[in-house]
Amino acid sequence: MLIPSELVLSILSYCDGSTLATCQQVCRHWQTLIDHYDALVWSPCCERDFQKGLRRRFWSLDFPDPQMVDAAMLSSYAKPSTLWQSLYRITKHWSLGQCTTSFLTNYTLRQQKRRPCVVVGTTQEYNFFTSLSVAQSGHIVRSNPMYKGTTEGRQAMIVHASFDQDPTLSSFYLEDDALHGIVCHYSHPASPWIVTGGLDGTVSLWNEPERCVARTWQGHRGRVLCVSMNDQVVISGGSDSMIRVWDLDDAEQRGSIDISSYLSERHDWFQGVGEIALNGHLIVCAPDTSGPVLIFSLLTGSLVYELKTEPQDVAFTRLCLTPFYLLTKGEINPSNRNQVPIYPNTSSSSTPTVSSSPYSNTTNSGSSSLSSLSSLSSSTSTAISTYALAPPPSLSLTPYQLSRYYNLSSNNMTTFTAARSCIDVWDLQTGKLVYRLVPPLPATTTASITDIRISPNAAHVFACVEIRDNGSRRNELCYWDFSNHHTAAPSIMVLPSMTSSSFGNAWACFY
């Protein structure tokens, strides 16, 4: 006797992810129902499995809405009708540390006229670092204090096509008419806006399709060092130690946070807010030198977590946010190598067990490890060997970090060279470090991670790795895949240098 579809869907809406994956294998009819009614079945499942407990009064971590994520990227891993299921799979892999890693060496495009999703790399031009991001149109936005436009030598951003094969994407300048001096910028592939921070303390909102400034805010007492935004607000961090929040639809400031009141006197060389990241509920920031990462509630401005490293005087850099995790650049040394798991794991076993999962006690009863989600993922983690990664005095270090390097070099070089560069993964629900990601390099390789980016759907983490050998150094692109869909590696292209004196490489990544 055939059970009515309405009754089946009503029952399935109460199942967790492991049960839904099993139900997809019962018969073709059930699989069609689960895929076709993706939002109805998988949306409540996502809420139960990943948003249980730890609900705060003034902030919470919400599972991302597929409509707010680039649908074109998600459709690369599944049918457009199964977006909730795809995001569930990716988030589950994050909770278990289930990923594969490799270096990308094929710098060719297999598909033309595709929008890039990420641009990653560390480049230096005219003795300044160049900031890179992706705009909604598919252009690459570059900002450098030495870039000049065509009108009276005004400072400008360069907005250019990521590859020459698409004639619809031409290069142009966004000139700084207000002369506020562009220090930093931010753009997102899903937003038509570009935000810039100025030398005079102003923050400007640019309309990229219309190529003009839509609004300018004034408030910082000094230069703006970093900016970010979501679909409602713009945030900026300045040399005055202030984080300021601006409404996209209003000329007024929503609020401000003084981070200097949260830093102790031991944080020397402190000069302001060095980095900042934002999601729908949290503001994550780090001082530009030593000190902890501070996580604030976007609604109230109150401190939620203070994240510290060992040793505590090593500065955080390269903040990246997923819906439930924060990524920072870190290092593994003899004192912390056994602190948390390292993924992909170094053993020959394929999949991390539930006991090592930070979510092993938060899912519904009856859920099991990722291996039970046979229809969601059957891939295994790539076994990797141990590494010897040491951060040298490169152009990516701040003056404070350089001083630390030379002090350690003169006092205890053996301890310092035993460190390995990695990506620290922090659970935003608990504020705890849960595992680390390391690049697949031989034990004799000396390297450091200089840049970290994450794809809009959080399926891939990209890192620029600087490798040093026999007095020379080169940049390579490494990525960690949390989709585990056996898809081909993303197409990439090395971006051309803007000047002959530029240092480092940058890559535009396509899907």
Side-chain angles (χ1 to χ4, degrees):
M1 180 178 177
L2 216 67
I3 303 176
S5 299
E6 292 79 2
L7 181 57
V8 174
L9 289 172
S10 178
I11 296 173
L12 292 176
S13 64
Y14 291 95
C15 296
D16 60 10
S18 300
T19 305
L20 286 176
T22 304
C23 291
Q24 284 182 312
Q25 300 178 348
V26 171
C27 63
R28 186 175 300 176
H29 177 61
W30 280 26
Q31 181 180 11
T32 302
L33 285 177
I34 294 174
D35 289 346
H36 183 73
Y37 294 94
D38 178 69
L40 178 64
V41 174
W42 286 98
S43 175
C45 171
C46 294
E47 182 177 353
R48 285 191 302 271
D49 286 8
F50 297 106
Q51 296 174 200
K52 289 186 58 180
L54 296 174
R55 304 292 289 183
R56 310 290 180 170
R57 181 178 179 183
F58 296 114
W59 69 274
S60 62
L61 295 176
D62 294 331
F63 196 86
D65 187 342
Q67 302 303 322
M68 303 301 295
V69 181
D70 193 355
M73 285 196 58
L74 284 174
S75 62
S76 302
Y77 307 105
K79 296 179 293 185
S81 60
T82 60
L83 298 184
W84 280 98
Q85 179 179 342
S86 298
L87 279 178
Y88 182 96
R89 178 190 297 109
I90 293 169
T91 307
K92 188 68 174 181
H93 292 168
W94 273 98
S95 69
L96 297 174
Q98 176 68 38
C99 63
T100 58
T101 184
S102 67
F103 278 95
L104 295 176
T105 57
N106 181 19
Y107 302 150
T108 60
L109 289 172
R110 293 182 295 272
Q111 292 179 324
Q112 306 298 339
K113 299 184 180 179
R114 294 292 301 275
R115 290 192 301 114
C117 66
V118 171
V119 58
V120 59
T122 305
T123 61
Q124 186 188 36
E125 305 170 74
Y126 311 105
N127 296 321
F128 290 94
F129 281 104
T130 298
S131 299
L132 299 163
S133 63
V134 180
Q136 186 183 46
S137 62
H139 287 84
I140 302 299
V141 184
R142 310 176 69 123
S143 64
N144 186 293
M146 297 301 293
Y147 286 165
K148 302 296 182 182
T150 58
T151 306
E152 300 177 355
R154 292 177 178 174
Q155 189 182 6
M157 291 182 289
I158 298 177
V159 184
H160 64 88
S162 52
F163 54 97
D164 298 331
Q165 289 80 355
D166 190 348
T168 64
L169 298 178
S170 58
S171 300
F172 58 91
Y173 288 97
L174 289 178
E175 296 191 0
D176 182 13
D177 295 334
L179 302 179
H180 79 145
I182 299 173
V183 177
C184 54
H185 84 273
Y186 175 87
S187 66
H188 191 275
S191 173
W193 305 109
I194 300 174
V195 183
T196 60
L199 187 63
D200 62 351
T202 60
V203 178
S204 293
L205 182 68
W206 300 70
N207 188 318
E208 193 257 340
E210 297 183 5
R211 305 183 185 183
C212 65
V213 175
R215 185 173 290 111
T216 297
W217 298 284
Q218 298 181 352
H220 285 282
R221 301 183 302 275
R223 67 187 185 278
V224 179
L225 300 178
C226 51
V227 289
S228 186
M229 67 179 299
N230 59 19
D231 58 342
Q232 294 182 341
V233 299
V234 171
I235 58 171
S236 57
S239 59
D240 56 356
S241 306
M242 299 296 295
I243 295 175
R244 301 192 181 273
V245 183
W246 320 87
D247 278 302
L248 270 176
D249 300 327
D250 196 349
E252 299 298 326
Q253 177 180 283
R254 174 182 289 191
S256 62
I257 303 171
D258 184 0
I259 73 167
S260 62
S261 60
Y262 298 93
L263 301 175
S264 67
E265 295 180 355
R266 72 176 184 275
H267 300 128
D268 52 356
W269 292 56
F270 173 70
Q271 296 179 9
V273 183
E275 291 190 63
I276 206 161
L278 175 70
N279 62 14
H281 303 277
L282 300 177
I283 300 173
V284 183
C285 74
D288 61 345
T289 54
S290 64
V293 162
L294 303 174
I295 302 178
F296 297 95
S297 167
L298 178 60
L299 179 62
T300 64
S302 58
L303 183 67
V304 176
Y305 292 123
E306 177 181 326
L307 309 183
K308 299 179 181 179
T309 57
E310 295 181 3
Q312 295 180 2
D313 54 0
V314 175
F316 277 83
T317 52
R318 306 306 180 193
L319 303 176
C320 292
L321 276 176
T322 75
F324 296 96
Y325 294 93
L326 169 68
L327 276 62
T328 63
K329 188 169 66 175
E331 67 177 30
I332 303 173
N333 54 54
S335 64
N336 66 11
R337 68 173 66 251
N338 297 319
Q339 182 181 7
V340 293
I342 298 174
Y343 294 131
N345 58 42
T346 57
S347 65
S348 59
S349 60
S350 60
T351 305
T353 60
V354 177
S355 60
S356 64
S357 166
Y359 281 94
S360 57
N361 296 322
T362 59
T363 55
N364 288 349
S365 60
S367 61
S368 57
S369 69
L370 186 64
S371 59
S372 67
L373 301 176
S374 56
S375 66
L376 291 182
S377 174
S378 59
S379 61
T380 59
S381 296
T382 304
I384 53 178
S385 60
T386 57
Y387 319 106
L389 307 183
S394 66
L395 293 173
S396 62
L397 299 184
T398 65
Y400 173 81
Q401 291 169 321
L402 284 173
S403 71
R404 292 291 305 166
Y405 171 81
Y406 286 119
N407 288 337
L408 289 170
S409 298
S410 59
N411 298 331
N412 191 357
M413 175 59 76
T414 303
T415 302
F416 193 80
T417 55
R420 301 175 299 177
S421 187
C422 68
I423 298 176
D424 291 338
V425 180
W426 303 80
D427 187 344
L428 289 174
Q429 297 197 78
T430 62
K432 304 294 184 181
L433 179 66
V434 288
Y435 58 86
R436 293 184 167 101
L437 304 175
V438 290
L441 292 170
T444 57
T445 302
T446 301
S448 61
I449 296 174
T450 59
D451 193 20
I452 304 171
R453 303 289 176 180
I454 190 167
S455 59
N457 65 350
H460 286 84
V461 176
F462 296 88
C464 177
V465 181
E466 184 183 278
I467 301 174
R468 293 165 300 281
D469 185 23
N470 297 326
S472 63
R473 57 186 176 185
R474 68 183 189 277
N475 290 293
E476 298 291 346
L477 180 62
C478 180
Y479 84 106
W480 288 263
D481 183 3
F482 286 87
S483 66
N484 286 338
H485 238 222
H486 299 289
T487 57
S491 302
I492 63 172
M493 178 180 180
V494 179
L495 296 181
S497 301
M498 301 301 294
T499 66
S500 59
S501 62
S502 63
F503 165 78
N505 290 335
W507 296 266
C509 305
F510 303 79
Y511 287 94

